[in-house]
């Protein structure tokens, strides 16, 4: 594994409008390289650099680090465009831009040391699958983590771990294991070649191991201790907010594709154009209805949450309904996008089943995406539990972290 260079011949876009336009400009190239990306089981180096040149990986960095400080809505819009070009590219962009989002949780001196450019890429798993033993100056980290999306082209690898002091597990004030995110260099990670999935094949989301690696203390952080006590980047759900952009982009790509086919296809059995076929009309109309509803829900909830936090509210000020809004619209986006593509897949019938059909890839990719924690039943359970005073199974989605 090698760290990809980041030298750019031209200035990298650094505003929301510039980055969105740059992402839109590479959509045709991403579409044309879909088979190659899946065949390689990772993003080719030139595609990584193409993405880097759009500015997507700098979206979360603030102006003090040379970044554009995009809002959650703006981040999601860019991810949506890239996913419309290629789901794998959208997914890897969504994960890789976490570098800037972590900046408010790392010491400022460490951010400047670790990220001399705001275009550096982070990959890895945040959940505490490892063990970090406290030693002078930092931690000794060991463990095995799964689903390291984009790890083959990452500049930094994140790894969640439970900390230990003198062999004893550290506990928070509420008695839970103390969880920190460790940041290590790719050269300190051993990849395990086990990424042979149904979809998102090109993300290279392999397992990885770390064996007794020293991590300086300031190369680690906890979501319980942001440097900022308020604002949109002070809550630990920040890295999940732009995730629905991938589902939205894939659903939009499938809808556009079927609409184009329907405009010229002829049903010889019925002797009518597809454009005049009731089933085609109804299916497309219903799917567009679901897409519009899903998309408005995602962006409305993101904007509302961002505005409230930016205006000084804390999560404690949120009503229960406000607290659960983004987590439920995020889950719904993955479920609804999958439903849309499945209905369009059925509408296209036998032409969908071939590997050469984009419908095949979109369906497989979405079915794989919706297995992610954020799309699972435990999200709905956690929302319902929070509303009724019960015990949520996934508190992080609610912004709860000790």
């Amino acid at each position: 594994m090698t760290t990809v260079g980041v030298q750019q011949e031209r200035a990298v876009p650094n505003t929301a409008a510039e980055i969105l336009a740059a992402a839109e400009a590479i959509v045709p190239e991403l579409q044309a390289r879909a088979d190659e990306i899946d065949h390689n089981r990772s993003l080719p180096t030139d595609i990584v650099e193409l993405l880097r040149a759009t500015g997507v990986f700098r979206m979360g960095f603030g102006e003090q680090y040379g970044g554009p400080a995009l809002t959650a809505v703006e981040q999601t819009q860019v991810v949506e465009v890239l996913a419309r070009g290629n789901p794998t590219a959208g997914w890897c962009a969504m994960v890789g831009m976490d570098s800037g989002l972590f900046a408010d949780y790392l010491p400022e001196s460490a951010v400047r040391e670790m990220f001399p450019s705001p275009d550096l890429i982070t990959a890895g798993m945040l959940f505490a699958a490892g063990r970090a033993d406290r030693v002078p100056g930092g931690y000794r980290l060991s463990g095995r983590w799964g689903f390291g999306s984009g790890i083959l082209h990452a500049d930094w690898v994140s790894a969640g771990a439970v900390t230990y002091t003198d062999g004893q597990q550290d506990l928070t004030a509420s008695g839970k294991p103390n969880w920190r995110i460790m940041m290590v260099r790719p050269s300190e990670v051993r990849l395990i070649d086990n990424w042979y999935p149904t979809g998102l094949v090109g993300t290279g989301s392999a397992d990885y191991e770390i064996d007794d690696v020293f991590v300086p203390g300031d190369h680690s952080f906890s979501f319980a201790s942001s440097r900022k006590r308020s604002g949109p980047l002070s809550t630990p759900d920040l890295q999940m907010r732009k995730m629905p952009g991938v589902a939205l982009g894939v659903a939009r790509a499938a809808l556009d594709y079927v609409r184009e086919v329907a405009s010229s296809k002829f049903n010889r059995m019925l002797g009518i154009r597809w454009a005049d076929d009731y089933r085609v009309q109804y299916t497309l109309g219903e799917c567009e209805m679901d897409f519009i509803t899903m998309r408005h829900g995602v962006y409305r909830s993101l904007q509302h949450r961002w505005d409230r936090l930016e205006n000084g509210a804390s999560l404690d000020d949120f009503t229960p309904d406000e607290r659960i809004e983004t987590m439920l619209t995020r889950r719904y986006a993955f479920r609804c996008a999958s439903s849309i593509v499945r209905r369009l897949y059925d509408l296209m019938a036998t032409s969908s089943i071939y590997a050469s059909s984009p419908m095949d890839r979109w369906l497989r990719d979405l079915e794989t995406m919706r297995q992610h924690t954020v799309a699972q039943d435990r999200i709905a359970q956690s929302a319902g539990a929070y509303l009724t005073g019960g015990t949520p199974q996934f508190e992080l989605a609610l912004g709860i972290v000790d």
Side-chain angles (χ1 to χ4, degrees):
M1 183 185 346
T2 58
T3 300
V4 181
V6 297
Q7 297 299 318
Q8 303 291 338
E9 295 181 3
R10 295 179 295 178
V12 177
N14 204 39
T15 68
E18 290 171 349
I19 295 172
L20 189 65
E24 190 71 58
I26 68 169
V27 165
E29 178 73 5
L30 296 177
Q31 291 171 333
R33 303 283 292 278
D35 289 341
E36 177 188 354
I37 290 170
D38 276 8
H39 178 75
N40 287 352
R41 297 168 48 232
S42 64
L43 291 179
T45 300
D46 67 312
I47 293 294
V48 174
E49 295 308 315
L50 198 64
L51 289 169
R52 202 191 302 266
T54 69
V56 65
F57 297 120
R58 64 171 52 201
M59 294 196 296
F61 277 105
E63 295 177 359
Q64 70 271 37
Y65 302 119
L70 267 58
T71 68
V73 165
E74 292 166 338
Q75 295 166 19
T76 305
Q77 289 171 336
V78 173
V79 171
E80 180 181 358
V81 167
L82 293 172
R84 178 159 50 83
N86 181 267
T88 286
W91 189 267
C92 288
M94 177 270 296
V95 172
M97 66 150 289
D98 282 343
S99 303
L101 300 182
F102 296 159
D104 280 335
Y105 292 83
L106 288 161
E108 186 168 350
S109 58
V111 176
R112 297 191 181 280
E113 173 205 342
M114 296 167 64
F115 300 101
S117 162
D119 300 304
L120 296 181
I121 302 166
T122 292
M125 175 60 73
L126 302 181
F127 295 123
R131 172 174 174 148
D133 286 278
R134 296 182 188 271
V135 295
Y139 303 87
R140 303 299 303 190
L141 175 65
S142 296
R144 174 170 173 162
W145 294 260
F147 306 109
S149 298
I151 198 168
L152 290 166
H153 57 257
D155 299 293
W156 286 94
V157 176
S158 60
V162 172
T163 65
Y164 287 74
T165 301
D166 297 329
Q168 298 296 313
Q169 188 179 85
D170 299 326
L171 300 177
T172 66
S174 63
K176 296 179 182 178
N178 185 55
W179 166 45
R180 290 187 70 82
I181 312 302
M182 307 286 157
M183 303 290 288
V184 304
R185 298 184 183 278
S187 59
E188 298 172 309
V189 172
R190 186 177 77 85
L191 293 182
I192 298 162
D193 185 15
N194 64 343
W195 185 243
Y196 296 91
T198 299
L200 291 179
V201 179
T203 60
S205 303
D207 286 11
Y208 58 101
E209 287 184 336
I210 297 172
D211 184 19
D212 195 32
V213 167
F214 175 72
V215 180
D218 61 2
H219 286 195
S220 73
F221 66 93
S222 166
F223 281 123
S225 56
S226 169
R227 292 204 315 274
K228 295 182 179 179
R229 296 189 176 183
S230 63
L233 301 183
S234 66
T235 60
D237 68 324
L238 75 169
Q239 87 284 357
M240 294 186 281
R241 295 178 199 158
K242 42 26 179 188
M243 290 184 72
V246 188
L248 292 174
V250 179
R252 183 70 264 164
L255 280 162
D256 290 346
Y257 172 76
V258 176
R259 284 170 61 169
E260 183 178 357
V261 170
S263 67
S264 59
K265 190 175 178 66
F266 191 82
N267 187 328
R268 290 186 174 84
M269 184 175 288
L270 297 179
I272 59 173
R273 299 183 309 148
W274 262 43
D276 295 321
D277 187 314
Y278 177 86
R279 178 175 177 241
V280 173
Q281 295 167 340
Y282 178 83
T283 301
L284 279 172
E286 187 179 53
C287 287
E288 285 287 355
M289 173 186 71
D290 289 347
F291 179 83
I292 291 167
T293 303
M294 163 181 67
R295 191 172 190 272
H296 276 285
V298 165
Y299 283 115
R300 188 267 179 197
S301 67
L302 288 174
Q303 189 65 61
H304 179 74
R305 189 178 189 87
W306 191 273
D307 289 345
R308 290 276 278 132
L309 291 169
E310 192 170 47
N311 289 329
S314 71
L315 285 182
D316 290 337
D317 299 318
F318 280 39
T319 67
D321 294 272
E322 288 177 313
R323 191 74 170 258
I324 67 169
E325 194 175 33
T326 53
M327 64 186 284
L328 289 182
T329 55
R330 180 167 53 239
R331 178 183 184 269
Y332 182 68
F334 285 101
R335 295 299 184 100
C336 185
S338 178
S339 172
I340 287 170
V341 171
R342 180 167 291 282
R343 281 174 279 166
L344 296 175
Y345 185 101
D346 288 344
L347 181 66
M348 297 295 293
T350 54
S351 64
S352 296
I353 68 174
Y354 296 99
S356 59
S357 166
M359 295 302 304
D360 174 73
R361 177 176 294 108
W362 290 323
L363 183 64
R364 287 186 291 105
D365 286 348
L366 276 168
E367 287 299 307
T368 299
M369 285 179 216
R370 60 174 281 175
Q371 305 314 312
H372 193 283
T373 298
V374 301
Q376 292 300 299
D377 289 347
R378 65 190 299 201
I379 299 299
Q381 180 276 333
S382 296
Y386 185 71
L387 292 175
T388 58
T391 303
Q393 288 188 4
F394 191 52
E395 294 182 331
L396 181 60
L398 290 159
I400 299 171
V401 90
D402 288 327

